[in-house]
Amino acid sequence: MAEAIDLTGDGGVLKTIVRRAKPDAVSPSETIPLVDVRYEGVLAETGEVFDSTHEDNTLFSFEIGKGSVISAWDIALRTMKVGEVAKITCKPEYAYGSAGSPPDIPPDATLIFEVELVACKPCKGFTVTSVTEDKARLEELKKQREMAAATKEEEKKRREEAKAAAAARVQAKLDAKKGHGKGKGKAK
């Protein structure tokens, strides 16, 4: 089995990949935050299963980052791709804490979930098409901003070149006057 990855830096949420997703698989994001998962949760101390979608072959759906699940899930699912299966070990402070979730989860329980990320979807009101259109619009705006910045930079460069040319002309006139003035006095 793969090595555990410390997702929080304090050992609070550890992820071990059980099955990797395909390289081109999608991950949850701001535009596709709704996830469907299958999972089984066990108490680390006893190995007792306290919750599972496997018994009735259902999917559990939620939106990442909305606080509708334990924080360990919000943290871990962001790092997963569709098709990936991971074992997620959650310390109490990233799960149900000192309160637990009676009667199934005692206080200060470390939980272990095996989670499969089945799908990522856009929020209601958005379609994959509208998300794609939003991305395309944002890309177009980005290109327009880059072009405007490049045009601004070119204008700045032209102004500096014009200033330098004007300064050179002024200097040439000054030099010509100095040289011309000396010649006048000597000629007559």
Side-chain angles (χ1 to χ4, degrees), residues 82-126:
V82 171
E84 181 178 321
V85 177
K87 183 175 97 174
I88 303 165
T89 304
C90 320
K91 294 288 186 199
E93 55 272 22
Y94 292 95
Y96 294 98
S98 59
S101 184
D104 300 319
I105 301 169
D108 297 314
T110 295
L111 309 177
I112 301 171
F113 291 93
E114 186 167 289
V115 180
E116 176 186 6
L117 179 55
V118 177
C120 296
K121 300 176 284 198
C123 289
K124 283 188 169 75
F126 284 96

Side-chain angles (χ1 to χ4, degrees), residues 134-165:
D134 284 349
K135 279 186 176 180
R137 193 177 78 249
L138 290 173
E139 278 300 312
E140 184 59 35
L141 287 171
K142 183 179 173 186
K143 283 180 190 174
Q144 288 173 1
R145 280 196 303 272
E146 288 170 353
M147 286 173 56
T151 302
K152 206 175 200 178
E153 195 60 36
E154 283 179 36
E155 288 173 3
K156 181 180 173 185
K157 190 176 176 183
R158 277 197 297 270
R159 281 195 306 272
E160 288 172 359
E161 287 172 353
K163 274 186 189 176

Side-chain angles (χ1 to χ4, degrees), residues 22-159:
K22 292 180 181 172
D24 61 343
V26 297
S27 293
S29 67
E30 285 184 27
T31 55
I32 50 173
L34 291 176
V35 295
D36 291 336
V37 298
R38 285 193 186 97
Y39 69 91
E40 181 170 88
V42 299
L43 300 173
E45 196 172 301
T46 63
E48 178 187 334
V49 175
F50 62 85
D51 196 7
S52 177
T53 59
H54 299 305
E55 293 168 8
D56 53 6
N57 200 27
T58 58
L59 292 175
F60 176 65
S61 302
F62 68 97
E63 186 174 347
I64 298 254
K66 294 296 181 190
S68 56
V69 293
I70 59 174
S71 64
W73 275 39
D74 270 339
I75 293 164
L77 268 291
R78 288 177 198 273
T79 71
M80 293 179 70
K81 291 183 170 190
V82 171
E84 181 178 321
V85 177
K87 183 175 97 174
I88 303 165
T89 304
C90 320
K91 294 288 186 199
E93 55 272 22
Y94 292 95
Y96 294 98
S98 59
S101 184
D104 300 319
I105 301 169
D108 297 314
T110 295
L111 309 177
I112 301 171
F113 291 93
E114 186 167 289
V115 180
E116 176 186 6
L117 179 55
V118 177
C120 296
K121 300 176 284 198
C123 289
K124 283 188 169 75
F126 284 96
T127 62
V128 174
T129 305
S130 70
V131 169
T132 303
E133 288 168 358
D134 284 349
K135 279 186 176 180
R137 193 177 78 249
L138 290 173
E139 278 300 312
E140 184 59 35
L141 287 171
K142 183 179 173 186
K143 283 180 190 174
Q144 288 173 1
R145 280 196 303 272
E146 288 170 353
M147 286 173 56
T151 302
K152 206 175 200 178
E153 195 60 36
E154 283 179 36
E155 288 173 3
K156 181 180 173 185
K157 190 176 176 183
R158 277 197 297 270
R159 281 195 306 272

